[in-house]
Amino acid sequence: MLRSILERFKPGKGAVISVPYLWLLVFFLVPFLIVLKISFADQDLAIPPFTHLLKYDGDMSTLNIALNLSNFLFIFTNELYLDTYVSSLEVALFTTLACLLIGYPIAYAIARANPAIRNVLLMLVMLPFWTSFLLRVYAWMGLLQPNGIINNLLMSMGLISQPLEMFHNQFSLYLVMVYAYLPFMILPLYAHLVKMDVTLLEAANDLGARPFKTFWTITLPLSKNGIIAGSMMVFIPAVGEFVIPELVGGPDVLMIGKVLWNEFFDNNNWPMASAVATIMVLFLIVPIALFHRYETRQLEGKNV
Amino acid sequence: MMDAVAQPKTAAGAQVDEKPYLQIAGIVKKFGDHFAVDHVDLTIRRHEIFALLGSSGCGKSTLLRMLAGMERPTAGKIILDGQDITALAPYDRPINMMFQSYALFPHMTVEQNIAFGLKQDRLPKDQIAARVTEMLDLVQLRKFASRKPYQLSGGQQQRVALARSLAKRPKLLLLDEPLGALDKKLRQQTQLELVNTLETVGVTCIMVTHDQEEAMTMASRIGIMSEGRLLQVGTPTEIYDFPNCRFTAEFIGETNIFGGQVVVDEPHCVEIESAELGGRIQIDHGITGPKGMQVWASIRPEDVRLDRGEFTPAPNAARGKIEDIAYLGSYSIYHVRLPSGKVVKSVVPSSRWYEAGEEPPTWGESVNIRWRPDLPVVLTM
Amino acid sequence: MYNGNPLPKTLKGVLLLGFLFLYVPIVSLIIYSFNASKLVTVWGGFSTRWYVSLIQNDQIISAVTLSIKIALASATAAVVLGTIAGFVLARFGRFRGSTLFAGMMTAPMVMPEVITGLSMLLLFISMQQFFGQPSERGFFTIWAGHTTLCMAYVAVVVRSRLIEIDKSLEEAAMDLGARPMKIFFLITLPLVSQAIASGFLLSITLSLDDLVTTSFLSGPGATTLPMVIFSKVRLGLNPEINALAAITVLLVGIFVLVANYLMLSAQRNRMRAMAAAMRENDAPAPPGNGAGGAVATAP
C-alpha cells in the first residue's frame, strides 16, 4: 500500500520534470550528437553542404556507412590546427590566471567593506556586465589603436613621439580578454567570500597568525570552491572565444573559435567545423565537470 | 517495556477520555540502514497533551513528521479516531502542525495566514471570516490582523502560528518544539499561556521537545525517546519517581547510579552488593529477579544525606572526600568521591548546617553519605 | 566577512584601480560619442550629430526592434522553463537521470558559444530535412537558442533562492490542506518572485547582447542589433556605434540604479518595521527565525 502512495506522487512529478528535461534534450544534448555525426561527413556541394553517413544503394540492396575520418586526420596531422588548440588553451589559461589575480583582491575588498556600501560596490561591478559585451570590446578599439585615444593623449603630452603598438597583437588580446571576463571571476568569488565567517579569521588572529598568514591558511583555502567556479567560468568560454580575437587580436593570434567560425561561414565546410567543435568539447569536458561540481557545492553552501 | 495504561493525571485536571483516540502501532522509519524510528507503539487519549521528550536525533521529530504525513513510515500503522490515516497525504489529514520555525507565510498578512487552511477547505467566505476572528481573539492578536509576519515580535509570531494550526479545528494538533525559537524568559511565561489556550480549545495535542522542564510543565503524559525507541511513557511524576531504565533516570533530573548484583532476595527486602559503593544497597521491597542478577540502583541527589560524625559500615552508606561544591543559594550540590573512584552527588539545603549549628563542610573534608532504604529505585536495564 | 573595521588603505586602492579599469573604456566611449569629427578618436569639437544619424539609421532601428522582440519572447520562455528547472533541482532531490539533467542545466552557461551555435544550427537543419520544419531560420530558431541559453541562468538564480527558503513553509501549506500544484502557485512562486524577476532581466540582457549563437541561428531578413554592430565595428571605428553605446550605458545605468534604490529602500522599510515590532512588544526577537528572516535576505 505504501508503494501506491509513493507512486501517486510520481505522475505529477514526472510531468513537471519532463518539461525542462525534454527541452534540454532536444535543444542541447541532441545537437551535440548531430555535430558528432556531421564531423564524420564530407563536404559536399549541396544543401545542406555535407554528405550522408548512411546511403542505401537500391541496385545492390546494401546499406553503406561512410565514416569520413579525414577531418580528424587532417586536424591531427596539420600543425596549424594543433598549434591553434594549444594556443587557445594557453590564452584561456593565462586569461584565467590574470582574472584571478586581479579579481580576487577586488572581490575580497568588496566582501570586507561595510554592508551599507557593499551593495553599491557590487552594483558597480555588475553594471558593465549588464551593458553590452560587444560594446565593451569595441570601447578598447578606440583606446588602443595607433591613432587611438591613449596614443593621442600620450603624444600630446609629449611622453612618446611614436604611437605605441598595442593593438592587433597579444597585448590587446589579453587585455580585452581579462577586461571582458573579469566580472565572471569577481561575482562567484564575492558570493563565496561574503559568506565567510569572520570569527574564523578572528580566531586565527587570536591564535597568533598575522594577517597575511591568516589569509594564506584560512581565507584562501576556504574560498577554494569560489576560485574553481570562477576560474572555470572564465576558462571554458575563453577557450572558444571568437569576438575578441576577431576584433582586437592580430593576425598572429590563433584561436580555435575563430577557426571554427571561418570554416563554417567563410569556407562553408560544415563537417570540418563540426570536427573542430567535437575536439574542443573533448578538451572542455573535464573543466565543465569541475565547474558543475563546484558551482553546485557553492549553491548548497558547502565549504569543503 | 512501557506503562501505556497508567491512570491519567493531567496537569490541569481536564477530563480525559479513556478510549484510545490515536493509535501508533509498530511504526518504523528507516533512512538507509539507520532506524530513525524503531518499532514505536503508542496510544493517545482524547484531549490529552502528550510530550515526546528526547535529545536531538532521537527520532522524536521524525515520528511527529510521520504523524503529519511529511514522512512515510517504512512499516506500521497510524489510526486516528477509528480511521487508518497511514496512507493519507498531509493535505488530506485532519491533523495540523505548528512548526518550530513557525513557517508563517511571509507574503501574507496575519489574517491571510490564519485563513489559508480554511480556504483550502473551500469554506464559505463569511464562515472563514468568523473563524479567523475567533482565532485572533483566542490568541489576542485582533489588532495585528493586517500585519505581515515580519512586523511582529517573536512571541506574536508564535501565537499566529498557533492560531493558524488551530483554525481548521484539527482532530490532532502537533507542536514541534513550540517554544524553541523564544528566549528563555519569554518561554516560561508562554508555556502556561499555551497550555491554557490548548485546554480552552480542548484539542488533543502531541508536542515534541528536548526541554524536560517544558515537557513536565505542559504535558499530561510524557514519552521518553532515545535512538529511535520509545523507552517509557507516563505522567511527569511517574517518570521522575519510577524511571524504568538508566537512560530515563539520568535524562530526567539528576541521579546517582550504582551497578551491582543481587545478593539477598526476599519478599520485603533486597540487598545489592555494589563495588562502586564499596558496600551493600538495601531496599525495603521485593523485586522480580533472581539472585546474582546484574541490576542498577538509582538514588536522586536530594535523597542522599550528608553528615560528619563517625562512620560505621552499614548498608546504604559510604564515606568519601568532598571534591567539589556548587553553591546555588538556597542549596548546594556536593560531589563526594568514594574510595572506588565513583563520585556521588548530594543536594543539601543551605539551612541544614545553620540549623545544626555547624560550619558547612569544605573541599577535601571526609564526610558520610547515606539514604533511606525506601528511596532507591532498582533498574534492570 | 565584514568585521566592523573600515577598509584598509591597500584594499581601498585595489577597489579604485579595479573600478578605473572597468570604467575608463566605458567613459571614453561616451565622451567620444559627442565628438564632431568622423575620426572617432580625434577630438573635433562637441556635437550630437551621431545621435541624430543613429536615429535616422533604419537598419539599426529595425535591428533594435527585432532584438527587443526576441529578447522579450525568449526571456519569457526562459523564465517559465528555468523556474520549473530550478524548482526541480532544489526540491526534487535525486531522480532517474537527475545527474544528466543538472549537467545539461549548467553546461550552456559556460559552453563556448561557437559550439552551442553550431550544434543548434545543425539540429534545425536536420529537423528541416526530416520534418520539413522549421522551414527557414529566423525568429523562431534564434528564440529557441536564446531560451536554452537563458533558462540555465534563470534556473541558477531561482534554485539558489529556493535553497535559502525554509522548506517548512511549503510543508506548512501542505499541512493546512493545499495540494502540491496549489502550494507551488500560492507559496513557492510568490517567495521566489524577486529571483524570477532578476532572472527575467538577466535573460533580456543576455538575449539582447548575444552575437555568436545568433549569427549561427539567424537567416536572411533576421538581423539583430549585435549582428549589425559587429558587421560595422569589424570594419573599424564608427561614430554611430559610439552614440549607440552611450545610449545603452545610460539606459542600463538608470535602470540598475532605480532597481537598486527600490530594493534597498524596501529592505530599509522592512528593517524599520521589524525593529518597531520588537519595541512595541518589548520582547527580544527570536534569533534566526526562519519565517520573518527569509525575505529580508532576498538577493
Side-chain angles (χ1 to χ4, degrees), chain B residues 85 238 324 379:
Chain B
I85 59 161
E238 281 166 359
D324 208 350
L379 307 167

Side-chain angles (χ1 to χ4, degrees), chain B residues 61 64-70 95-100 102-103 161-162 164-166 170 172-176, chain C residues 168 171-172 175-176:
Chain B
S61 290
L64 199 74
R65 289 171 61 80
M66 284 194 284
L67 289 172
M70 305 296 169
I95 296 178
N96 286 125
M97 174 152 159
M98 193 178 116
F99 288 78
Q100 179 173 12
Y102 309 142
L162 179 67
R164 188 178 70 176
S165 55
L166 285 173
L172 179 65
L173 176 70
L174 305 174
L175 305 173
D176 188 3
Chain C
S168 56
E171 288 178 350
D175 181 70
L176 291 166

Side-chain angles (χ1 to χ4, degrees), chain B residues 199-218:
Chain B
E199 274 166 2
T200 315
V201 180
V203 66
T204 312
C205 176
I206 297 184
M207 60 183 270
V208 147
T209 178
H210 66 274
D211 181 343
Q212 50 159 305
E213 193 190 309
E214 197 172 295
M216 307 278 263
T217 329
M218 293 177 61

Side-chain angles (χ1 to χ4, degrees), chain B residues 103-137:
Chain B
L104 297 177
F105 306 131
H107 56 303
M108 297 183 191
T109 61
V110 168
E111 220 167 5
Q112 287 167 330
N113 262 286
I114 297 176
F116 186 88
L118 303 168
K119 279 188 189 151
Q120 304 312 312
D121 284 356
R122 297 176 194 284
L123 280 164
K125 267 195 178 151
D126 51 331
Q127 274 189 42
I128 293 181
R131 191 84 67 83
V132 169
T133 315
E134 183 193 330
M135 287 299 131
L136 284 171
D137 286 342

Side-chain angles (χ1 to χ4, degrees), chain A:
Chain A
M1 184 172 51
L2 263 173
R3 185 157 294 166
S4 74
I5 309 162
L6 291 174
E7 262 155 17
R8 204 177 57 197
F9 277 97
K10 268 194 179 154
K13 225 175 169 177
V16 171
I17 295 171
S18 67
V19 176
Y21 210 123
L22 282 177
W23 180 282
L24 287 172
L25 279 181
V26 172
F27 290 112
F28 192 72
L29 194 65
V30 171
F32 278 108
L33 302 178
I34 296 174
V35 167
L36 186 65
K37 189 193 102 180
I38 290 172
S39 69
F40 288 108
D42 202 356
Q43 193 177 9
D44 198 3
L45 283 173
I47 297 176
F50 51 85
T51 57
H52 293 282
L53 299 191
L54 294 178
K55 261 197 202 113
Y56 183 70
D57 190 332
D59 296 337
M60 307 283 285
S61 296
T62 49
L63 185 65
N64 296 318
I65 303 176
L67 279 188
N68 175 17
L69 301 176
S70 65
N71 297 320
F72 290 100
L73 285 176
F74 189 72
I75 291 174
F76 281 116
T77 51
N78 187 316
E79 263 180 43
L80 189 64
Y81 278 94
L82 289 180
D83 285 352
T84 310
Y85 275 112
V86 171
S87 115
S88 300
L89 293 171
E90 208 178 85
V91 169
L93 180 70
F94 286 120
T95 303
T96 308
L97 287 177
C99 281
L100 186 61
L101 285 177
I102 300 171
Y104 200 105
I106 296 177
Y108 182 81
I110 299 176
R112 279 285 297 271
N114 187 331
I117 62 160
R118 208 154 58 193
N119 270 320
V120 178
L121 295 175
L122 196 63
M123 192 193 74
L124 284 173
V125 172
M126 287 290 285
L127 199 68
F129 172 77
W130 287 85
T131 59
S132 166
F133 172 83
L134 201 51
L135 292 175
R136 276 184 295 140
V137 175
Y138 171 73
W140 282 104
M141 292 173 67
L143 286 170
L144 298 177
Q145 283 193 348
N147 66 340
I149 296 165
I150 294 177
N151 275 325
N152 288 351
L153 197 69
L154 292 178
M155 293 210 318
S156 70
M157 284 159 70
L159 290 173
I160 50 170
S161 53
Q162 287 226 320
L164 294 172
E165 271 183 43
M166 37 186 193
F167 193 51
H168 281 321
N169 57 16
Q170 294 279 336
F171 171 78
S172 59
L173 176 74
Y174 276 110
L175 181 71
V176 180
M177 288 285 273
V178 171
Y179 179 74
Y181 283 101
L182 193 56
F184 292 96
M185 180 66 89
I186 295 179
L187 291 179
L189 281 176
Y190 165 79
H192 215 83
L193 286 169
V194 76
K195 280 190 221 146
M196 198 176 288
D197 185 356
V198 73
T199 54
L200 292 177
L201 309 182
E202 288 169 351
N205 285 333
D206 181 65
L207 294 168
R210 289 175 183 284
F212 181 73
K213 188 98 182 166
T214 307
F215 174 79
W216 194 251
T217 52
I218 311 288
T219 315
L220 203 58
L222 281 178
S223 54
K224 189 184 98 191
N225 291 351
I227 292 174
I228 294 177
S231 299
M232 292 303 122
M233 210 152 174
V234 172
F235 180 80
I236 301 165
V239 170
E241 178 57 45
F242 162 72
V243 175
I244 298 171
E246 173 71 18
L247 291 182
V248 304
D252 60 327
V253 169
L254 299 170
M255 288 291 279
I256 201 66
K258 213 171 136 181
V259 168
L260 194 156
W261 180 284
N262 292 340
E263 289 291 355
F264 185 87
F265 285 102
D266 302 343
N267 302 342
N268 209 25
N269 191 344
W270 295 17
M272 193 50 152
S274 299
V276 169
T278 303
I279 294 174
M280 206 192 314
V281 171
L282 287 180
F283 276 122
L284 293 179
I285 277 182
V286 172
I288 289 175
L290 265 180
F291 172 69
H292 176 62
R293 194 165 143 209
Y294 285 92
E295 209 242 1
T296 312
R297 278 194 194 179
Q298 169 148 350
L299 274 182
E300 285 159 6
K302 287 177 197 151
N303 255 336
V304 191

Side-chain angles (χ1 to χ4, degrees), chain B residues 234-307:
Chain B
T235 63
T237 336
E238 281 166 359
I239 289 204
Y240 189 83
D241 290 343
F242 307 107
N244 67 356
C245 59
R246 278 175 291 161
F247 181 87
T248 308
E250 286 182 307
F251 190 71
I252 302 290
E254 294 253 2
T255 196
N256 300 299
I257 291 196
F258 299 94
Q261 282 78 37
V262 178
V263 286
V264 175
D265 179 20
E266 280 165 22
H268 297 291
C269 176
V270 175
E271 283 188 17
I272 298 162
E273 181 71 46
S274 171
E276 279 179 314
L277 180 68
R280 285 185 177 187
I281 300 165
Q282 198 178 54
I283 293 140
D284 66 352
H285 57 81
I287 61 162
T288 49
K291 223 163 136 175
M293 185 188 184
Q294 168 76 40
V295 292
W296 292 269
S298 156
I299 304 110
R300 298 281 179 198
E302 62 266 31
D303 295 338
V304 177
R305 294 305 191 90
L306 209 68
D307 63 65

Side-chain angles (χ1 to χ4, degrees), chain B residues 7-54:
Chain B
Q7 275 305 102
K9 305 173 212 165
T10 62
Q15 58 284 56
V16 168
D17 223 328
E18 283 308 301
K19 271 189 303 180
Y21 183 63
L22 172 74
Q23 278 177 289
I24 299 171
I27 283 287
V28 176
K29 179 66 188 183
K30 276 177 96 170
F31 291 119
D33 285 338
H34 169 72
F35 280 91
V37 172
D38 191 358
H39 295 92
V40 166
D41 296 284
L42 178 64
T43 306
I44 310 280
R45 299 180 202 91
R46 200 187 287 269
H47 303 312
E48 193 171 20
I49 299 178
F50 188 91
L52 283 168
L53 180 61

